Amino acid sequence: MRAYKKSLLTTKFLYVLVLLTVVAGFATVASRTILNDSSQQKLSKTIVVDKSGRYDFKTIQSAIDSIPENNNEWIRIRVKSGVYGEKVEIPSDKPFIVLEGEGMQATIIAWGDHDRLDKTPTFSCATDDFVARHLSFYNTYNHPLDSAENENPRKQAVAARIQGDRISFYDCGFYGLQDTLWDVSGLHYFKSCFIEGAVDFIFGSAQSIYENCAISVIAEGLSVMKKTDDEEFVAAGFITAQGRDSLESPSAFVFKGCQVFGTGKVYLGRAWRSHSTVLFYRSKLTDVVVPEGWNSWDYAGHEDKIMYAESGCYGLGSNMSQRVDWMKTLSQPMIDKMTSLTFIDKEGWIREQP
């Protein structure tokens, strides 16, 4: 049950494996270091954060605090390499920020709060119009940076909470164990990102596309108690806990061209709300995925409202012969609609970001 007591060596192996074979293939060298000319022209200014104090600010939060409220021009915060031991919060009145590091393993924001969900995030973004590139967010409570073994009991410990419209992440890492990435609400785009955890580690009610992302499962030996009268234990983790709560809501998670791998066993998702909606499309699913694929959790008997689907997936975990019988089969027009960027971007906001 203590899968999260893993060696740092094992974790580093996963990093190397994925970063060399997946993420490096999704991001170009040029995009790691500079913005193209068109993007540069969209920026009003760049401010630089460096722990040594040689540039504008020594902490990321102080750089954010320096930006005027209700700012209406794109400002880039360039963060030099290093581990920044701070909680970072972008409030709702500070839009049009580009937060850019020097690489997923080079620029790291790390903190270790736990228990009360809304107080745990290492990084919080509550504003609209935000871009992050080439950095990582850690909640170190169950995912330590520099310890060979984690002795802490498993708790809700969020690495990043994302709440707002027109938000995108490129080549970013999200590391935790339970509730790693809280994709709260809004229109979001994650591309070439690395997301690691074991239980509900991508959860929330946003309308999001995850494209070419690496989904790393660290659920070996894990069991989770299901909240039922007989206290059933589920000997697996859960990648998603999607929170769509009505037929009218546009909320959904779409995984497009992703890779799911790791240790232990995991469900692709469990129903966090009554109309939970998740699609895995043309993604590689390794044998960490349990044959049933999905779990209705507290909504057993009401699976007709849940929309879990897979299309064009491959790998040892993609065999659908033993999937739950209530998994949906989507029409091709519906698959095309959900996997197109227009599903989250009818107005072209992704193209307009720097």
Side-chain angles (χ1 to χ4, degrees), residues 294-338:
W294 308 91
N295 192 304
S296 58
W297 204 246
D298 288 339
Y299 296 95
H302 302 278
E303 289 89 353
D304 59 312
K305 297 177 181 179
I306 299 170
M307 204 290 284
Y308 289 155
E310 302 166 47
S311 176
C313 295
Y314 58 99
L316 294 177
S318 67
N319 187 335
M320 294 193 288
S321 63
Q322 297 182 57
R323 289 293 195 257
V324 291
D325 59 10
W326 46 267
M327 189 179 77
K328 303 300 186 290
T329 300
L330 302 183
S331 67
Q332 192 59 49
M334 177 59 73
I335 292 171
D336 293 343
K337 175 183 177 181
M338 293 183 69

Side-chain angles (χ1 to χ4, degrees), residues 130-132 162 164-171 174 183 186-193 206-213 254 256 339-341 344-345 349-351 353:
F130 171 78
V131 181
I162 315 303
D165 273 328
R166 299 178 299 279
I167 294 176
S168 58
F169 290 83
Y170 300 89
D171 191 28
F174 303 85
D183 199 5
L187 300 170
H188 305 158
Y189 182 49
F190 299 83
K191 186 171 184 180
S192 303
C193 292
Q207 184 174 352
S208 299
I209 289 179
Y210 296 80
E211 185 170 7
N212 294 348
C213 291
V254 176
K256 178 180 178 181
T339 57
S340 168
L341 278 184
I344 58 170
D345 185 18
W349 61 265
I350 293 175
R351 183 179 63 253
Q353 290 182 331

Side-chain angles (χ1 to χ4, degrees), residues 11-311:
T11 303
K12 285 184 176 179
F13 172 76
L14 285 176
Y15 293 169
V16 172
L17 174 66
V18 176
L19 291 174
L20 290 179
T21 61
V22 181
V23 178
F26 297 149
T28 65
V29 173
S31 71
R32 287 182 181 274
T33 55
I34 60 172
L35 297 172
N36 59 37
D37 290 342
S38 175
S39 295
Q40 291 278 13
Q41 292 171 5
K42 296 174 183 177
L43 295 170
S44 62
K45 68 175 181 178
T46 294
I47 55 181
V48 182
V49 178
D50 183 83
K51 295 179 67 176
S52 70
R54 289 177 294 177
Y55 293 89
D56 302 310
F57 296 96
K58 295 177 71 173
T59 68
I60 299 168
Q61 190 62 55
S62 60
I64 293 166
D65 292 344
S66 74
I67 296 174
E69 294 180 0
N70 301 312
N71 166 61
N72 61 5
E73 295 183 306
W74 284 103
I75 295 175
R76 176 171 65 170
I77 300 175
R78 184 71 182 272
V79 186
K80 292 291 186 177
S81 62
V83 177
Y84 293 80
E86 57 178 306
K87 293 186 73 166
V88 175
E89 183 175 357
I90 301 178
S92 60
D93 58 1
K94 296 203 174 184
F96 299 104
I97 291 175
V98 177
L99 186 64
E100 183 177 296
E102 294 190 333
M104 191 186 298
Q105 290 187 301
T107 304
I108 295 170
I109 305 172
W111 201 254
D113 274 354
H114 64 284
D115 283 335
R116 183 174 164 181
L117 192 63
D118 62 335
K119 298 297 183 182
T120 70
T122 299
F123 172 78
S124 295
C125 179
T127 191
D128 297 335
D129 300 299
F130 171 78
V131 181
R133 292 189 179 92
H134 318 316
L135 72 165
S136 288
F137 310 94
Y138 270 82
N139 191 309
T140 58
Y141 180 76
N142 285 135
H143 204 310
L145 280 167
D146 55 4
S147 174
E149 194 172 78
N150 172 37
E151 295 293 340
N152 292 327
R154 177 166 54 84
K155 298 285 186 179
Q156 293 178 310
V158 178
R161 175 176 61 187
I162 315 303
Q163 184 173 8
D165 273 328
R166 299 178 299 279
I167 294 176
S168 58
F169 290 83
Y170 300 89
D171 191 28
C172 289
F174 303 85
Y175 299 86
L177 185 75
Q178 180 168 344
D179 299 345
T180 303
L181 174 54
W182 190 358
D183 199 5
V184 184
S185 61
L187 300 170
H188 305 158
Y189 182 49
F190 299 83
K191 186 171 184 180
S192 303
C193 292
F194 182 101
I195 309 165
E196 183 164 87
V199 179
D200 301 348
F201 63 99
I202 304 173
F203 75 109
S205 303
Q207 184 174 352
S208 299
I209 289 179
Y210 296 80
E211 185 170 7
N212 294 348
C213 291
I215 312 299
S216 173
V217 177
I218 48 173
E220 186 174 2
L222 181 74
S223 60
V224 181
M225 187 172 73
K226 192 177 187 301
K227 296 179 181 178
T228 60
D229 292 338
D230 59 0
E231 296 188 340
E232 173 190 355
F233 277 85
V234 179
F238 304 93
I239 294 175
T240 65
Q242 208 282 330
R244 185 183 182 204
D245 59 5
S246 70
L247 188 61
E248 294 73 29
S249 170
S251 170
F253 292 166
V254 176
F255 295 86
K256 178 180 178 181
C258 295
Q259 294 202 27
V260 176
F261 62 95
T263 62
K265 293 296 182 180
V266 72
Y267 289 85
L268 295 172
R270 74 170 181 92
W272 187 33
R273 296 289 186 265
S274 59
H275 289 69
S276 188
T277 299
V278 181
L279 168 63
F280 276 82
Y281 174 71
R282 293 186 178 177
S283 294
K284 182 178 181 179
L285 310 180
T286 69
D287 60 1
V288 298
V289 178
V290 298
E292 301 91 336
W294 308 91
N295 192 304
S296 58
W297 204 246
D298 288 339
Y299 296 95
H302 302 278
E303 289 89 353
D304 59 312
K305 297 177 181 179
I306 299 170
M307 204 290 284
Y308 289 155
E310 302 166 47
S311 176

